Amino acid sequence: MASLNVGNLGEYLREQRRNAQLSLRQLADAAGVSNPYLSQIERGLRRPSAEVLQQVAKALRISAETLYVRAGILDAERDLDEVETRAVILADPSLNERQKQVLLQIYESFRKENGFGVGESAADEDGAGRTDDTGGTAATDADAADMDADDVDAGPRRTAG
């Protein structure tokens, strides 16, 4: 894993927060972190987890992967295509937030099926992304089980008989 450039990340977060016209307190509340903790991240004094970066990215309506690259969690060269694909999906104004999340889950499951794991995924850390005995992936099966009919309007579903 690349070393973290926490100062650069903090400057970038501050810039994104200001562009979104949010106060430090507003962003901290929206991201579910404390005001002092977020301030320390912005000043380069704290090293946030991937989960905290994801919450902050969601609150700022920016790509979490962009923050992961800034923080050194993702290797920018190796993961550039994936980051760009995710950024395009997240930036598409014709999709609502739920549709974007479902599309990202499907994208991730296809990458796992094809042998391209997602480094920031907790599923990779606990082995949930490994191939099961049926040839599918555990992550794909779990993602499919979590989706309701309201999540994806893809026509009728087949059920196991």
Side-chain angles (χ1 to χ4, degrees):
M1 178 178 3
S3 63
L4 293 179
N5 186 350
V6 180
N8 185 2
L9 172 66
E11 293 169 15
Y12 181 75
L13 282 176
R14 182 178 292 119
E15 178 183 323
Q16 294 302 310
R17 177 176 58 79
R18 288 179 177 162
N19 287 343
Q21 299 179 342
L22 294 172
S23 71
L24 190 65
R25 186 172 306 281
Q26 288 171 321
L27 179 56
D29 288 345
V33 298
S34 73
N35 188 34
Y37 181 64
L38 185 58
S39 174
Q40 290 174 348
I41 293 170
E42 280 194 1
R43 290 181 287 141
L45 302 176
R46 293 291 294 236
R47 178 178 158 178
S49 67
E51 181 178 317
V52 168
L53 288 175
Q54 184 175 21
Q55 292 170 303
V56 170
K58 185 176 180 180
L60 288 170
R61 295 177 179 252
I62 62 174
S63 165
E65 288 76 15
T66 300
L67 295 184
Y68 296 157
V69 170
R70 291 267 178 178
I73 294 172
L74 288 179
D75 179 14
E77 291 295 321
R78 189 188 73 211
D79 299 315
L80 187 58
D81 288 341
E82 178 186 358
V83 169
E84 287 176 348
T85 300
R86 290 171 178 272
V88 168
I89 291 169
L90 291 170
D92 189 334
S94 66
L95 301 174
N96 67 38
E97 291 304 312
R98 182 64 187 146
Q99 290 169 331
K100 291 176 186 180
Q101 292 307 311
V102 170
L103 188 54
L104 288 172
Q105 288 174 351
I106 293 168
Y107 174 67
E108 181 178 322
S109 71
F110 284 152
R111 284 184 49 85
K112 286 180 180 180
E113 279 185 25
N114 294 331
F116 297 98
V118 181
E120 76 277 6
S121 172
D124 285 345
E125 293 171 12
D126 67 11
R130 66 179 176 272
T131 303
D132 64 17
D133 295 335
T134 64
T137 62
T140 303
D141 298 341
D143 289 342
D146 287 343
M147 286 193 261
D148 299 325
D150 296 333
D151 293 338
V152 180
D153 186 17
R157 291 183 178 200
R158 290 190 341 200
T159 58

